[in-house]
Amino acid sequence: STMNPPPLQIVQTDDLGKALATTQSHVEGTEIFREEALIVFDIDPSATKEDLTPPPWIDKPGSASRQRWMEYCAYQRQSDQRQQEILSLYAGETTNRTNGNISICRDHDAVRMRTFLQEKLVGDLDIEEFIRLAMVIKFNAVGIPPDNYGLFRWGCRMAHSCHPNCVWFSSQHNEKVKIVRSIKPLQEAQILTIDYYGKTFEPIWERQEFFLLSKNFACSCQRCASTQGDDTRRFPCQQHPTCHGVHFCHQPRHSSVPMLLACSNCGHSPSENYQKQMLQAEEKCRRAIDAFDKDAVTKHQIIDVELPHHFHGIAMRVFSAQVGLFEGQGDWKSAAVAQENKLRCFHSIMGDDFKDEDLANDFETMGDLCSYFDLEKAREAYREAVKCHHLTRGEHTYTKGARRKLLEVSRQLETVSFAKRSQAGHSQPA
């Protein structure tokens, strides 16, 4: 149930379908609303110790149809009003969105399930209700710690963006309660957006592939719809070092032919040979970091890997790997350099004003590394971490933990400063 009636409205949009919007303006770092799940499903329904024996037509114990039956049983135990609220999340088998593949995909999902039920069904079952519930869960269910998933009246109506204006997370005190906070200033009637995927620095085609396969929509956010190319795939201008601009890559789908655009600074169009060279360098780097993740390359290979560009999305993975390697060797300075490179890459892709929990954690890591050799730099990093944690989580455990580190480093700096002043005083002639 909703904890407090939120100042929200459901609006119809051209590209997002029905979406959730504010009814008033908010500054960044505002808790917009919190709510308890409408219904919670068990990933392992057998743990409920209830008699949920599936009907005879479900003959595959591990099949998806068995899980759908378990969800339907949980739904049937709800009150009539709660069932209506759950089904109100149903968007229909077709949609008005501009990408034609969406309608086809959703029709296919429903038709396939309807055909299966009509062929296999023995006994009474409201087939259309069963299908509507299955579609609601497929397109709206979210994880609930530690091992459950569920539906939310308001939160499940928030739209996606790869550059969102809100974050959505579980309460520390009740995991069935989700909290939404603004991470950007919000205007009255503005659509609330969150990141469904979480892989911010993957290329556009990979993000789109995920959304089409799992949610049946094509993202049209400001990053994905940009005519300037993919902000995660940038390459040095062919005129470098004379020009410090970049060639962004345009590849909206995996099946699309990648194309490097004219330089963002001087307008130079890359030659075919240069484009081929850069894309090969990108693929070589991607293979190296993939192999590293599978423990198939040595640490020296990932430390010395040649990046397509220091602000390329794949550089985020490389810098993270380098931080871990240097940290394991106790080489705090080299680890801090890699972490600083990662922060710069984040800001270059997402913008200096964008802050989220990943950035908060990166600043905190920077503080942890610098605390070994540069207390001033550590203090500055912890300050940024506290700001980001507080923006995204409020007075959360994360915020309090970063603040404790900030206070400890500040105390150490004051001790050092006091010792220097005392030493200076003793060195003065009588």
Side-chain angles (χ1 to χ4, degrees):
S1 59
T2 304
M3 313 302 289
N4 294 299
L8 304 169
Q9 59 183 332
I10 299 172
V11 298
Q12 184 70 41
T13 67
D14 293 334
D15 57 341
L16 299 172
K18 290 183 178 179
L20 199 62
T22 63
T23 57
Q24 61 190 58
S25 61
H26 298 280
V27 299
E28 62 181 15
T30 300
E31 181 179 312
I32 308 300
F33 68 93
R34 63 175 62 200
E35 62 173 336
E36 191 169 347
L38 281 171
I39 186 171
V40 177
F41 302 105
D42 295 303
I43 290 180
D44 179 13
S46 62
T48 63
K49 298 182 180 180
E50 296 183 44
D51 182 12
L52 299 178
T53 304
W57 46 270
I58 296 182
D59 54 2
K60 296 179 181 179
S63 68
S65 56
R66 180 183 178 90
Q67 186 65 25
R68 297 294 83 79
W69 174 257
M70 301 302 180
E71 293 163 351
Y72 187 68
C73 289
Y75 161 82
Q76 285 289 310
R77 292 194 297 272
Q78 307 301 311
S79 67
D80 290 344
Q81 179 181 351
R82 182 56 56 88
Q83 288 181 13
Q84 290 176 6
E85 290 179 303
I86 291 170
L87 292 185
S88 71
L89 294 169
Y90 181 63
E93 295 178 22
T94 58
T95 175
N96 295 325
R97 294 182 190 175
T98 55
N99 188 302
N101 290 330
I102 303 173
S103 296
I104 295 172
C105 290
R106 288 200 172 182
D107 281 338
H108 177 71
D109 289 333
V111 168
R112 184 175 56 183
M113 184 174 292
R114 186 177 291 108
T115 300
F116 172 82
L117 292 172
Q118 289 172 345
E119 291 177 354
K120 301 288 187 179
L121 179 61
V122 177
D124 295 329
L125 176 71
D126 186 333
I127 291 179
E128 295 308 312
E129 181 182 52
F130 189 94
I131 291 174
R132 287 196 296 272
L133 176 66
M135 294 298 101
V136 165
I137 293 171
K138 176 174 181 178
F139 297 114
N140 296 281
V142 294
I144 297 176
D147 297 310
N148 300 319
Y149 59 103
L151 299 168
F152 292 81
R153 177 186 292 104
W154 295 105
C156 288
R157 299 181 188 276
M158 287 190 292
H160 163 79
S161 172
C162 298
H163 203 283
N165 56 33
C166 291
V167 289
W168 191 27
F169 58 95
S170 295
S171 167
Q172 290 180 274
H173 309 296
N174 182 352
E175 291 165 338
K176 295 178 182 179
V177 171
K178 293 275 191 180
I179 301 169
V180 173
R181 291 179 66 87
S182 62
I183 57 174
K184 299 178 185 177
L186 298 174
Q187 302 302 315
E188 182 180 345
Q190 187 168 352
I191 303 296
L192 300 183
T193 59
I194 55 174
D195 185 351
Y196 290 1
Y197 192 25
K199 295 189 177 182
T200 307
F201 303 101
E202 295 302 322
I204 288 176
W205 69 260
E206 184 169 319
R207 302 200 303 268
Q208 294 287 31
E209 192 170 81
F210 168 81
F211 297 131
L212 285 169
L213 290 175
S214 64
K215 300 295 184 181
N216 296 147
F217 76 87
C219 181
S220 58
C221 74
Q222 66 187 69
R223 292 182 64 204
C224 291
S226 172
T227 59
Q228 304 302 312
D230 191 336
D231 58 13
T232 71
R233 300 176 70 188
R234 61 187 74 192
F235 304 86
C237 176
Q238 190 173 6
Q239 303 298 325
H240 182 81
T242 305
C243 176
H244 295 285
V246 296
H247 298 292
F248 289 101
C249 184
H250 176 73
Q251 187 183 10
R253 297 287 185 274
H254 189 218
S255 57
S256 306
V257 177
M259 178 178 66
L260 267 58
L261 303 179
C263 175
S264 59
N265 183 44
C266 70
H268 174 79
S269 295
S271 66
E272 288 186 15
N273 285 338
Y274 184 74
Q275 176 170 277
K276 182 178 180 180
Q277 177 187 342
M278 290 296 98
L279 292 174
Q280 287 176 342
E282 178 188 53
E283 181 60 23
K284 182 179 179 181
C285 184
R286 186 176 299 280
R287 287 180 179 178
I289 190 63
D290 286 344
F292 175 80
D293 291 341
K294 298 175 183 177
D295 296 323
V297 298
T298 66
K299 59 186 179 182
H300 298 293
Q301 287 176 289
I302 204 62
I303 289 174
D304 298 330
V305 68
E306 185 175 351
L307 295 170
H309 191 280
H310 262 62
F311 298 151
H312 191 291
I314 204 169
M316 293 290 289
R317 292 175 61 192
V318 172
F319 293 143
S320 291
Q322 291 175 349
V323 169
L325 288 171
F326 288 127
E327 193 174 11
Q329 297 169 359
D331 186 351
W332 312 116
K333 289 186 177 181
S334 295
V337 169
Q339 184 66 16
E340 189 167 22
N341 287 335
K342 185 181 178 185
L343 286 165
R344 288 173 178 167
C345 187
F346 182 104
H347 287 306
S348 180
I349 294 175
M350 299 300 291
D352 291 334
D353 295 333
F354 184 80
K355 298 177 178 65
D356 65 3
E357 194 59 35
D358 287 338
L359 183 62
N361 292 331
D362 280 340
F363 271 123
E364 190 166 348
T365 297
M366 187 68 176
D368 293 343
L369 296 171
C370 291
S371 65
Y372 287 97
F373 63 91
D374 190 334
L375 293 178
E376 287 282 1
K377 200 167 185 177
R379 179 167 63 179
E380 184 57 34
Y382 284 140
R383 281 174 177 165
E384 294 300 318
V386 170
K387 290 178 186 177
C388 291
H389 279 309
H390 192 269
L391 175 75
T392 58
R393 291 292 190 270
E395 281 303 307
H396 191 277
T397 299
Y398 297 159
T399 312
K400 295 175 182 177
R403 188 179 290 121
R404 281 194 295 270
K405 292 179 180 180
L406 172 60
L407 292 174
E408 174 60 22
V409 165
S410 298
R411 185 192 64 78
Q412 292 179 38
L413 279 168
E414 182 58 35
T415 300
V416 171
S417 177
F418 178 78
K420 288 181 177 178
R421 291 196 302 269
S422 299
Q423 185 177 8
H426 288 308
S427 63
Q428 294 293 328

